[in-house]
Amino acid sequence: MAHPVERLRIYFVTYNVATKFPDPRQDLHQLLGITSCDESKLWPDLYFVGLQEVKSQPQNIVLDFILFEDPWTKAFRDVLKKYDYVKIRSQRMQGLVLNAFCLRKHLTCLRLIEAQYTKTGFGGMWGNKGAVSIRMNAYGVSVCVVNTHLTPHDHLLADRISDYNTIVTDHTFTAPCTSRILYHDYIFWIGDLNFRLNGEDLTAVDIDLLVKKKQLKKLLEKDQLKLVMKEQQAFAELNESSITFPPTYKYEFESQEFDLKRRPSWTDRILYKVNAADIYDDIEIHVEQHTYESHPSYSVSDHKPVTGEFDIVVRSNVKDRIVEFQDCTVEENFISYKLQRDFTPNNSDWIGLFSNEFSSLDDYIIYEYVSRNKLTSVSDESHANTERISYNDSALRLSEMYCLVYVAQRGDLMEILGVSPEFAGPRRAIEQCVSSST
């Protein structure tokens, strides 16, 4: 049994990529805080990567959502899979994308995973602006992450305020007790919020000069987001750590210099909220932020990406896996497995066959829906129910080691209830038989 988990470290990225594609010359390791392979490093347990203005052609929008991973999501996944992270959920609304990645060891401790979106563009008719979100219960506490792209331009402050209030009101979930964003234990709100600097007499050249003189405090006094939070017009429920980095917009492409056709501003932000600390008898929920920074070396966009790293307190006594696999074996065109007898499945649950090194829950090779009747059809003295999942001759040629993953589906809610031990594919099984007989 794993050691009790008392805290989770969560790493956030928000990046407006300005419809550009990833540049292979700009390695994403540093943006993800992966700067060494030091074994003493405390790796994040969860990554949330929020992107804005991800390119998609109108004629391909529906197809992209269903079939394809956008190039940025793929680029982040290609890095994180090397360190044993699995993409557990994505939510996309046109150019707005939110991805959640989790260390493999935590997969079966996540419950009620749900993704939603809210459109605010053109009065709620178009998804060029708005919010996408992913919520989940992790070790017994509820976490909601919202990625937003709000109305742009200096003079449209009222529209940004309206966007926020629309999202807070209209963005709802089906998970029990957390039907709205602000009902969760922990809320993290990231994205291109598009708040600018007040003061028509403050020109782009003036702002550039103050930044070069490192007089950020003087500029932040005119930050629209801080002002509307103080006046409780929008985002008043949330908190933000001190900003110590230069404005994140607008830059010349492939440069670290401002494009002075627009007034520089802090459009890209990470905010958070913790609800009542004494809601649970066994813990006092709490958040601690370790970093809040921009990354000026990334120059593919006219925005600079922003990251933040937090620790949250969770409930260490929460049971992890509910479904336990036993004796997974490969037979001719079948994989036999057993589940513990005291588990009652739902007809919408499914079991997927994965390569043992899978890096996304979308990477199943084959899957099969679970039936209550099927799982009780065969039993033995081990008090487990035996079932088989069928596959065609070519299904197991992608790898030599595999695992089964039990996913519970309840409408929009998803839970990973069990991951089997790894088992050998047919070629390795044959080789092992030959080896043991000689």
Side-chain angles (χ1 to χ4, degrees):
M1 188 72 181
H3 294 295
V5 173
E6 297 180 351
R7 291 173 178 263
L8 289 179
R9 179 154 294 192
I10 310 179
Y11 193 103
F12 297 92
V13 178
T14 178
Y15 195 7
N16 184 321
V17 299
T19 73
K20 304 299 183 183
F21 292 108
D23 185 341
R25 296 171 298 174
Q26 297 194 339
D27 189 355
L28 294 176
H29 281 75
Q30 187 263 336
L31 182 56
L32 291 166
I34 303 171
T35 54
S36 72
C37 293
D38 182 1
E39 293 186 1
S40 65
K41 173 182 170 63
L42 183 60
W43 290 89
D45 299 288
L46 290 159
Y47 277 93
F48 288 91
V49 179
L51 305 167
Q52 305 88 39
E53 293 193 30
V54 175
K55 187 173 184 178
S56 59
Q57 298 299 326
Q59 66 271 25
N60 294 332
I61 285 175
V62 174
L63 197 61
D64 283 351
F65 290 171
I66 297 171
L67 299 178
F68 300 112
E69 198 171 55
D70 69 87
W72 282 99
T73 296
K74 183 180 185 303
F76 280 105
R77 180 156 74 105
D78 285 345
V79 173
L80 290 171
K81 70 182 181 182
K82 301 172 188 174
Y83 304 94
D84 211 29
Y85 289 91
V86 175
K87 189 184 78 173
I88 54 175
R89 197 68 188 260
S90 288
Q91 180 66 15
R92 181 171 180 178
M93 182 181 71
Q94 290 183 220
L96 194 57
V97 180
L98 179 61
N99 295 301
F101 300 87
C102 174
L103 275 176
R104 190 180 306 269
K105 66 181 181 180
H106 298 304
L107 283 176
T108 56
C109 296
L110 306 181
R111 298 283 180 269
L112 303 175
I113 304 165
E114 183 177 1
Q116 294 293 349
Y117 65 90
T118 297
K119 301 175 184 179
T120 61
F122 297 101
M125 299 296 291
W126 191 240
N128 64 321
K129 296 294 185 289
V132 291
S133 69
I134 298 174
R135 63 87 55 217
M136 66 182 68
N137 285 20
Y139 288 95
V141 299
S142 59
V143 179
C144 181
V145 180
V146 185
N147 175 30
T148 53
H149 193 186
L150 305 184
T151 300
H153 305 306
D154 291 41
H155 64 287
L156 295 179
L157 173 60
D159 289 27
R160 287 187 280 282
I161 294 171
S162 176
D163 288 345
Y164 170 79
N165 287 296
T166 295
I167 294 165
V168 166
T169 302
D170 294 352
H171 203 86
T172 59
F173 303 96
T174 59
C177 303
T178 54
S179 60
R180 297 184 183 275
I181 293 169
L182 297 177
Y183 292 178
H184 291 76
D185 295 327
Y186 298 100
I187 302 102
F188 297 94
W189 199 303
I190 69 176
D192 179 359
L193 307 188
N194 255 324
F195 286 94
R196 309 304 173 92
L197 296 176
N198 277 344
E200 294 180 2
D201 57 334
L202 192 64
T203 68
V205 173
D206 295 334
I207 296 169
D208 184 35
L209 184 60
L210 288 169
V211 170
K212 287 175 177 174
K213 291 181 177 180
K214 301 188 184 303
Q215 295 184 9
L216 300 185
K217 186 176 180 182
K218 187 172 182 179
L219 288 174
L220 286 165
E221 290 173 356
K222 298 180 179 295
D223 174 60
Q224 288 181 346
L225 177 56
K226 292 188 176 300
L227 293 172
V228 299
M229 290 172 73
K230 184 177 180 180
E231 294 170 4
Q232 298 192 337
Q233 294 176 297
F235 293 96
E237 301 88 349
L238 292 106
N239 303 289
E240 183 182 27
S241 290
S242 298
I243 292 176
T244 59
F245 48 86
T248 55
Y249 174 82
K250 172 180 171 71
Y251 287 82
E252 296 175 352
F253 288 98
E254 305 298 336
S255 170
Q256 295 186 29
E257 297 295 324
F258 290 121
D259 178 352
L260 298 180
K261 296 188 182 80
R262 294 282 181 89
R263 297 195 309 159
S265 55
W266 285 274
T267 57
D268 310 277
R269 313 288 275 263
I270 298 175
L271 291 81
Y272 65 93
K273 173 179 172 59
V274 182
N275 270 311
D278 59 353
I279 190 170
Y280 301 110
D281 294 333
D282 51 341
I283 62 163
E284 183 174 311
I285 63 174
H286 173 71
V287 67
E288 181 180 358
Q289 185 166 1
H290 298 286
T291 61
Y292 190 27
E293 57 191 337
S294 68
H295 298 262
S297 64
Y298 291 87
S299 56
V300 70
S301 168
D302 54 356
H303 289 251
K304 299 302 180 185
V306 172
T307 62
E309 194 167 17
F310 298 77
D311 279 352
I312 64 169
V313 173
V314 297
R315 305 175 72 190
S316 61
N317 59 350
V318 171
K319 182 181 179 182
D320 55 0
R321 65 190 65 213
I322 293 175
V323 173
E324 292 182 7
F325 287 93
Q326 304 165 12
D327 303 328
C328 296
T329 56
V330 179
E331 307 167 48
E332 184 177 352
N333 295 106
F334 288 97
I335 297 164
S336 295
Y337 59 90
K338 297 176 183 177
L339 301 178
Q340 67 214 47
R341 193 166 189 165
D342 59 354
F343 175 70
T344 303
N346 187 288
N347 287 336
S348 59
D349 295 355
W350 56 275
I351 292 175
L353 172 67
F354 290 78
S355 163
N356 194 52
E357 297 181 351
F358 71 96
S359 60
S360 170
L361 290 178
D362 299 325
D363 281 351
Y364 53 82
I365 301 166
I366 53 173
Y367 72 93
E368 196 162 285
Y369 284 106
V370 176
S371 162
R372 294 173 186 265
N373 297 327
K374 286 172 63 178
L375 285 180
T376 57
S377 60
V378 183
S379 61
D380 58 24
E381 294 179 356
S382 66
H383 303 292
N385 302 306
T386 302
E387 188 48 54
R388 298 191 300 178
I389 184 170
S390 61
Y391 62 91
N392 60 37
D393 290 337
S394 62
L396 297 193
R397 291 179 184 174
L398 300 178
S399 174
E400 293 190 344
M401 298 301 294
Y402 300 89
C403 65
L404 297 177
V405 179
Y406 192 107
V407 179
Q409 205 82 43
R410 306 288 186 271
D412 293 329
L413 299 172
M414 180 185 72
E415 301 183 332
I416 303 132
L417 298 187
V419 179
S420 78
E422 65 178 8
F423 57 89
R427 285 176 297 163
R428 180 170 289 190
I430 292 170
E431 290 168 2
Q432 288 172 343
C433 288
V434 171
S435 171
S436 61
S437 64
T438 57

